[in-house]
Amino acid sequence: MHDFDIRIMFQIIGALLYITNFLLLQTHRIHATKPASLLLVISACSILLTAAIIGRDWGLILLEGTWLILVSSTFAIRQRETRRRLVLEREAVASAVAVVREVPVAVVEPVAAPVAAPVVRERELAGAAA
């Protein structure tokens, strides 16, 4: 009987995470640059990198390590952009509220109703008798 090898378990779990991410992307349930997809890939990379380090598989260490760095930097950039956008939205709302509060009530005057102009009816050109 085979001895239990933790590397095999790590490889299977990592592969299943990659496959799950791929299927979710193909069925349009998530997008590739959204945090859910990036976190799935980061998890799979980390697990497979651990298995490669345990087995001293230098090619896979290089591949998964590079992939982990690239996906992690993409995740960090996306998170920073999201935080920046939220801050800008909060500032825009705060400045809009401040502008509304600064408008004095006396400045707003009621608008007079427009004067009704007399209705002038013209004869229809088509079929009009002269």
Side-chain angles (χ1 to χ4, degrees):
M1 182 168 223
H2 294 280
D3 291 332
F4 178 74
D5 191 3
I6 193 80
R7 290 182 308 136
I8 293 173
M9 186 181 70
F10 282 155
Q11 291 171 357
I12 290 171
I13 292 171
L16 287 175
L17 286 174
Y18 271 134
I19 291 168
T20 301
N21 184 52
F22 177 76
L23 291 175
L24 290 172
L25 288 171
Q26 293 301 312
T27 57
H28 302 289
R29 294 176 191 241
I30 59 175
H31 298 284
T33 57
K34 296 294 181 184
S37 176
L38 293 172
L39 288 173
L40 273 173
V41 173
I42 289 171
S43 300
C45 284
S46 301
I47 292 170
L48 288 174
L49 182 60
T50 303
I53 290 171
I54 292 171
R56 294 186 184 105
D57 188 358
W58 296 107
L60 192 58
I61 290 171
L62 181 61
L63 177 68
E64 290 299 327
T66 304
W67 189 240
L68 182 61
I69 290 168
L70 292 174
V71 175
S72 297
S73 62
T74 301
F75 181 74
I77 290 168
R78 295 289 179 186
Q79 291 300 102
R80 185 180 59 196
E81 288 173 355
T82 301
R83 276 187 253 118
R84 182 180 299 151
R85 189 181 70 243
L86 290 174
V87 167
L88 291 175
E89 287 174 359
R90 276 191 227 123
E91 288 176 356
V93 169
S95 65
V97 169
V99 168
V100 169
R101 287 182 183 166
E102 290 177 4
V103 174
V105 178
V107 173
V108 179
E109 297 178 12
V111 179
V115 178
V119 177
V120 179
R121 297 184 184 231
E122 297 181 16
R123 295 163 109 190
E124 285 188 65
L125 295 178

